[in-house]
Amino acid sequence: MTNGGLHTEFEDADESPGLLLWQVTNRWQAAQRAALAPFDLTHVQFVLLAALTWLTGRSGGDPVTQRDVADQAATDPMMTSQVLRTLEQKGLLERHDHPTDKRAKSLLPTEAGAALVNRAIGAVEGCDREFFEPLGDQTPRFTAALRRLRDRDSD
């Protein structure tokens, strides 16, 4: 049996935006894992704790729910629930009864959780600055392009 090769529209693998995105994402995730290791947080734990802390700071005292956190982070609700349970077990967030919805819980970062995520965000943002530095003044255009891709199905 002979191998006829891969039947692709691309002359070279480096022309495939999907493959390049996969490769870049893997490198970026590895850099983020290294940046977050000293904080004993996975990247998804960091993202959800940061989302909760950000939402809490802007809530005006209104309760923040698991759904709010999942929506802010654009994460799967079931995975969000599992990760939030882990963060609760680590003492980084608290769950309370929701004041108006008996089925929902209100979430709050603990003092330790807010302090940890605020220390970790410096490392994460520093990692991003270093990782995306080769883009130079093209970074805002790249970020805008990423937002277009992220938001295209929500229009």
Side-chain angles (χ1 to χ4, degrees):
M1 175 178 226
T2 60
N3 182 349
L6 184 64
H7 300 278
T8 175
E9 66 186 75
F10 300 108
E11 187 69 30
D12 187 277
D14 276 355
E15 295 173 8
S16 170
L19 177 61
L20 289 169
L21 180 60
W22 170 260
Q23 293 169 336
V24 169
T25 299
N26 284 333
R27 287 186 178 181
W28 175 80
Q29 288 175 337
Q32 288 294 337
R33 274 192 302 278
L36 286 166
F39 302 97
D40 191 32
L41 289 172
T42 66
H43 194 247
V44 71
Q45 288 171 353
F46 166 78
V47 168
L48 294 178
L49 187 57
L52 172 60
T53 304
W54 187 85
L55 288 167
T56 300
R58 284 158 179 73
S59 72
D62 290 337
V64 176
T65 65
Q66 179 177 305
R67 169 56 86 189
D68 296 329
V69 173
D71 288 348
Q72 176 67 31
T75 53
D76 174 74
M78 288 301 284
M79 182 271 297
T80 299
S81 175
Q82 293 169 346
V83 174
L84 290 174
R85 266 195 266 290
T86 300
L87 292 170
E88 183 180 24
Q89 290 167 353
K90 288 180 155 191
L92 301 175
L93 69 84
E94 299 173 344
R95 293 175 194 260
H96 301 280
D97 290 336
H98 193 282
T100 59
D101 184 347
K102 298 233 184 277
R103 298 166 299 158
K105 292 289 186 184
S106 174
L107 305 174
L108 279 172
T110 62
E111 201 172 302
L116 178 65
V117 79
N118 277 298
R119 285 192 315 273
I121 200 161
V124 165
E125 289 177 349
C127 179
D128 278 352
R129 267 190 310 279
E130 183 178 324
F131 188 86
F132 294 108
E133 190 274 330
L135 296 178
D137 61 2
Q138 295 176 13
T139 302
R141 286 185 61 207
F142 178 71
T143 304
L146 289 173
R147 275 194 302 273
R148 279 195 311 278
L149 291 172
R150 180 198 64 194
D151 298 342
R152 71 185 188 144
D153 291 333
S154 63
D155 293 341

